Amino acid sequence: MSLIEAQKRVLSGMRPTGRLHLGHYHGVLKNWVRLQHEYDCMFFVADWHALTTHYEDPQVIEENVWQMVIDWLAAGVNPGSATLFIQSRVPEHAELHLLLSMITPLSWVERVPTYKDLMAKSNDRDLATYGFLGYPVLQGADILIHQAGNVPVGADQVPHVEMTREIARRFNHIYGKDPGFAELAEDAIKKLGRKNAKMYRDLRRDFLENGNREALEKAQAIISEQQNVSLGDRDRLFGYLEGGGKVILPEPKALLTEVSIMPGLDGQKMSKTYGNTISLREEPDSVEKKIKTMTTDPARVKRTDPGDPDKCPVFTLHKIYSDEETKAWVRQGCTSAGIGCIDCKKPLIEKVLEEQQPMRERAIQYEENPDLVKTIVAEGCEKARTNARATLEEVRSAMGLDYR
Ligand code: TRP
Ligand code: SF4
């Protein structure tokens, strides 16, 4: 696969450790649904990643795998546009993880912030395991085996994508040099024709000497426009641009998701850990009950007390769900004690139910027919394996493992 194709690919995974809730919808899923129209998207269930922390309760994972895929489909992820698969059903991820672990310095994994944080925080689980230490390397393998140029993640995951870039760079640096690489690359440049060859050399120099990324992108564009360049030459020309050898594993970048922080029912961030969630396909009655009893501005004790919307998690929800007019009505009514909290929550309940209605409807056919979900995933796994095998073959051969 070429670098240009890598730019078109998006890959992301989710750990099946619980039911998805509105926080996931607004933070991640809505974004996936948007991306599937613009990119070649691959979304997968990261069940091995879930095992790194939940190795003692695997039934949690099993329960949530299928429900999570149904949640994705309900949210509007379209199996016709995106490839959906399960990590453990594409064992190539594990082989690449092993191979990458050979070249990943221990200090890189030890300094990952999520690792240090979780080790410090998790007193209920023993995370001093080999598997958990390797978490970001496995994530790197997920990304690199599919040669994904773009990885939509929240801010907490950015260090993992950064480390993946470093691993890819190190891999290409160590294994990307076939003998005589520079000469072959120079020959390939000559085949570009006088004008393009000069441009390529100037742009390459500008990038290598001045770090000018625009020059790099321009030169990449020139290469991808060439019709008569062989695949081998194309790879060499791309690799030579960045100084070293052939690019076997393209470096991904994080597509940082702008997340609206979804408040939970108690005003803390919505999270399974706090037990303050509204799940994606929650029953309407339950949604209503939950919002009705949701925490409000603690200073507003009686109906006649004026409140401050800026201190109220209900108003934070209004900011996500309501139009300007409704928000102005809340502000006015709350600060003057003109409306009660139940009045305030009413339009919000309607909006949440309205948002969930199509999701509940889309989910029905999958809930009633689990085989349909299994077929979608089986097809996705097949496609993902074909992809993964191609990368792995290159990696094995680069690392000298292609004995015959
Ligand atoms: N670590 C990610 C999370 O906890 C899940 C994940 C696993 C992932 N592999 C990935 C995300 C590859 C993006 C790309 O959210
Ligand atoms: Fe919160 Fe609305 Fe009650 Fe004001 S009226 S405290 S914004 S729930």
Side-chain angles (χ1 to χ4, degrees):
M1 195 163 107
S2 75
L3 288 178
I4 300 297
E5 282 169 85
Q7 294 315 315
K8 292 193 199 130
R9 175 153 301 159
V10 155
L11 173 130
S12 199
M14 251 190 233
R15 294 150 34 90
T17 51
R19 289 299 293 270
L20 298 189
H21 52 66
L22 293 183
H24 294 112
Y25 179 66
H26 284 270
V28 186
L29 283 174
K30 248 173 41 182
N31 198 41
W32 283 14
V33 171
R34 188 173 54 78
L35 289 167
Q36 69 184 353
H37 304 297
E38 298 163 31
Y39 291 92
D40 166 13
C41 286
M42 307 189 72
F43 301 127
F44 71 98
V45 181
D47 55 348
W48 280 333
H49 276 107
L51 263 186
T52 63
T53 52
H54 290 61
Y55 55 88
E56 283 180 309
D57 32 16
Q59 72 287 354
V60 173
I61 298 169
E62 191 181 341
E63 267 165 35
N64 284 298
V65 166
W66 299 109
Q67 286 304 326
M68 192 162 86
V69 176
I70 296 181
D71 281 338
W72 295 354
L73 296 164
V77 173
N78 178 352
S81 329
T83 306
L84 309 183
F85 68 97
I86 297 173
Q87 185 183 34
S88 66
R89 299 239 313 245
V90 186
E92 286 78 6
H93 287 228
E95 185 174 337
L96 185 61
H97 173 218
L98 173 83
L99 294 176
L100 295 180
S101 77
M102 305 298 170
I103 65 157
T104 305
L106 199 48
S107 62
W108 290 10
V109 280
E110 283 170 341
R111 70 163 193 238
V112 171
T114 41
Y115 178 69
K116 288 193 295 192
D117 285 3
L118 265 172
M119 286 291 268
K121 268 193 284 187
S122 64
N123 16 33
D124 55 332
R125 280 195 201 104
D126 186 5
L127 289 185
T129 60
Y130 181 50
F132 187 62
L133 179 67
Y135 187 109
V137 185
L138 179 58
Q139 186 162 350
D142 297 335
I143 298 168
L144 296 174
I145 198 134
H146 294 294
Q147 313 220 351
N150 306 284
V151 185
V153 283
D156 64 317
Q157 296 289 311
V158 170
H160 295 172
V161 180
E162 277 307 312
M163 196 173 103
T164 305
R165 292 172 66 85
E166 281 168 25
I167 294 175
R169 209 172 306 149
R170 184 166 159 81
F171 186 94
N172 294 328
H173 178 70
I174 300 175
Y175 303 109
K177 295 190 193 83
D178 29 43
F181 179 80
E183 291 90 87
L184 287 170
E186 285 294 335
D187 287 344
I189 297 175
K190 287 189 195 118
K191 292 186 213 155
L192 291 173
R194 262 274 255 340
K195 197 168 127 252
N196 282 332
K198 178 168 178 346
M199 272 208 286
Y200 178 97
R201 287 206 173 89
D202 291 348
L203 291 167
R204 175 173 185 266
R205 190 170 326 112
D206 194 9
F207 173 65
L208 291 179
E209 286 174 13
N210 313 318
N212 183 351
R213 294 210 67 94
E214 249 172 64
L216 174 67
E217 282 160 24
K218 231 190 215 161
Q220 287 169 338
I222 293 178
I223 305 167
S224 32
E225 279 160 18
Q226 302 300 312
Q227 311 283 343
N228 304 325
V229 176
S230 72
L231 278 181
D233 274 353
R234 192 179 288 258
D235 282 351
R236 278 180 206 106
L237 287 168
F238 276 122
Y240 196 51
L241 261 186
E242 295 183 59
K246 218 164 106 181
V247 174
I248 300 169
L249 300 174
E251 290 177 37
K253 64 172 188 299
L255 291 182
L256 196 55
T257 333
E258 218 24 88
V259 282
S260 37
I261 292 289
M262 172 74 62
L265 300 166
D266 57 357
Q268 300 186 79
K269 180 181 172 217
M270 190 178 281
S271 160
K272 180 180 49 123
T273 333
Y274 304 137
N276 61 2
T277 62
I278 296 175
S279 69
L280 207 71
R281 294 177 276 137
E282 183 133 356
E283 284 302 319
D285 286 353
S286 167
V287 173
E288 190 170 345
K289 206 181 299 152
K290 281 185 173 175
I291 298 181
K292 275 189 174 153
T293 51
M294 184 173 168
T295 307
T296 60
D297 172 5
R300 193 168 188 201
V301 184
K302 296 196 300 287
R303 166 70 176 79
T304 47
D305 296 335
D308 179 356
D310 294 319
K311 294 196 178 117
C312 179
V314 175
F315 190 63
T316 315
L317 275 189
H318 270 296
K319 287 193 205 151
I320 298 171
Y321 283 95
S322 301
D323 55 21
E324 291 307 319
E325 201 186 324
T326 311
K327 282 183 280 182
W329 169 79
V330 170
R331 196 172 276 287
Q332 158 64 26
C334 177
T335 51
S336 64
I339 59 169
C341 292
I342 291 292
D343 305 319
C344 174
K345 289 171 172 178
K346 217 166 151 208
L348 192 60
I349 293 171
E350 276 166 27
K351 284 282 183 202
V352 174
L353 291 179
E354 195 180 300
E355 176 180 76
Q356 289 185 321
Q357 187 54 28
M359 298 201 236
R360 275 188 293 265
E361 279 169 14
R362 272 194 291 261
I364 293 173
Q365 58 165 325
Y366 300 114
E367 281 163 347
E368 286 176 351
N369 189 357
D371 281 348
L372 193 57
V373 184
K374 302 212 164 166
T375 307
I376 290 170
V377 169
E379 279 169 12
C381 291
E382 225 14 79
K383 222 165 129 191
R385 283 201 81 173
T386 307
N387 244 332
R389 276 195 207 107
T391 307
L392 200 52
E393 210 163 291
E394 268 195 75
V395 168
R396 283 191 194 133
S397 130
M399 293 180 89
L401 296 168
D402 52 353
Y403 320 110
R404 308 236 171 233

